[in-house]
Amino acid sequence: MKDEGPVIFPNDAVSYAVYRYCKEHSVPLPEHLFKLAQFTEENLPELSEMMVSGLQAQYLIWTARSIGAKKILEIGCFCGFSALAFAEALKDVEGAKIITTDVNPKTCEIARNAFRDAGVDNIVTLIEAPAIETLQNLQNDGPFDLVFIDANKDGYPDYFKTLLDLNLIRKNGILIADNVLKRGLVADDSDNNPSSGDKDEVWRASKLREFNGLAAKDPRVETLILPVFDGLTLSRVL
Ligand SMILES: C[S@@+](CC[C@H](N)C(=O)[O-])C[C@H]1O[C@@H](n2cnc3c(N)ncnc32)[C@H](O)[C@@H]1O
């Protein structure tokens, strides 16, 4: 077994080259995703970092197709970038349905326009409401094949419990949660971590630690945490 050592790549330059290489050799993204990303970066520059990365969108498309997903639920729509990726994955699937939810009216409007412009508004429904409320009203729409959590980090433990208690994910369906390592703070928030001075982030990391603990111990799921992007928790429903 190899040592569980630090980063594989020697420095930032090589890491960026690797990232570009991975994108170029992975499932392609449609042009409308690049357009939405550019629009978001130009119009909401201070928030645009909230979008998943290009490679992460490729990962979501590949995963949704791999498990034969037909129904997807997303918590945290923002301007619609990851939902559009899911729509790309499901565009040729008979009866496909994507439900996404967010509380920000401004970004919801951008997302709705993006879904319409991409011609996927027939399969994507955006519910403008707090996610916990949305989950409690989804009994007739589930169970989902894939659920993606990418919203307020303090909500992750409740989203996890509600999704499982209400049987909103089918057997062998998967839950993907983003940002679960929070720049490593979840595993190490000591002075070793340059982000440890940011008290808000340290608090969010504590909620993510709680979420990861639930996902690791709950007998209804089998969980894998991957140290990719900002950390992904993958839970398969048993
Ligand atoms: C990281 S962004 C989502 C990014 C999106 N998945 C993408 O890749 O483009 C998080 C979103 O969660 C939303 N959010 C925050 N609190 C929420 C809540 N209680 N219920 C639903 N959405 C919430 C924010 O408004 C924000 O748009």
Side-chain angles (χ1 to χ4, degrees):
M1 196 187 282
K2 283 192 177 139
D3 279 350
E4 290 167 354
V7 282
I8 309 172
F9 310 111
N11 54 40
D12 278 0
V14 178
S15 297
Y16 281 115
V18 168
Y19 187 80
R20 278 195 301 276
Y21 179 88
C22 293
K23 285 203 286 190
E24 285 162 16
H25 292 79
S26 299
V27 50
L29 291 177
E31 196 50 39
H32 58 253
L33 260 101
F34 293 106
K35 276 200 191 139
L36 176 60
Q38 192 183 346
F39 179 88
T40 306
E41 278 153 15
E42 285 169 7
N43 290 278
L44 298 173
E46 71 291 357
L47 296 178
S48 62
E49 283 219 346
M50 294 216 282
M51 282 181 288
V52 297
S53 66
L55 185 59
Q56 208 171 346
Q58 289 167 293
Y59 165 79
L60 294 175
I61 292 172
W62 185 89
T63 304
R65 286 189 184 143
S66 301
I67 65 161
K70 192 168 170 173
K71 283 203 255 180
I72 295 179
L73 169 64
E74 173 180 80
I75 300 174
C77 177
F78 187 45
C79 296
F81 186 72
S82 46
L84 266 192
F86 286 130
E88 176 66 14
L90 267 55
K91 66 181 182 196
D92 297 324
V93 175
E94 180 83 30
K97 176 151 102 176
I98 298 158
I99 294 182
T100 181
T101 187
D102 207 293
V103 284
N104 184 330
K106 185 173 174 188
T107 60
C108 282
E109 191 187 340
I110 295 171
R112 283 199 188 91
N113 290 339
F115 301 150
R116 192 199 54 229
D117 293 349
V120 296
D121 50 346
N122 55 333
I123 59 168
V124 185
T125 303
L126 169 53
I127 300 174
E128 198 175 314
I132 201 72
E133 233 175 69
T134 301
L135 294 186
Q136 280 152 358
N137 291 320
L138 283 179
Q139 300 278 38
N140 296 332
D141 297 278
F144 294 88
D145 305 298
L146 191 161
V147 176
F148 180 48
I149 306 184
D150 187 22
N152 52 317
K153 308 310 160 197
D154 56 322
Y156 280 34
D158 282 342
Y159 300 153
F160 178 83
K161 287 183 252 180
T162 308
L163 285 163
L164 291 184
D165 290 350
L166 298 182
N167 294 314
L168 288 174
I169 311 175
R170 69 151 159 91
K171 184 174 160 54
N172 280 322
I174 58 173
L175 170 66
I176 304 175
D178 196 20
N179 307 112
V180 298
L181 295 176
K182 265 272 156 228
R183 295 182 235 156
L185 284 171
V186 168
D188 183 350
D189 62 2
S190 73
D191 291 347
N192 289 331
N193 192 323
S195 303
S196 63
D198 185 334
K199 294 303 159 213
D200 291 339
E201 285 290 82
V202 169
W203 178 75
R204 285 186 201 106
S206 73
K207 302 306 284 184
L208 291 164
R209 204 176 293 121
E210 182 186 338
F211 164 76
N212 287 327
L214 290 172
K217 290 208 178 86
D218 195 305
R220 294 171 291 183
V221 294
E222 181 177 68
T223 291
L224 174 72
I225 300 183
L226 287 176
V228 292
F229 311 120
D230 192 23
L232 285 186
T233 296
L234 310 177
S235 292
R236 182 172 64 86
V237 173
L238 300 174

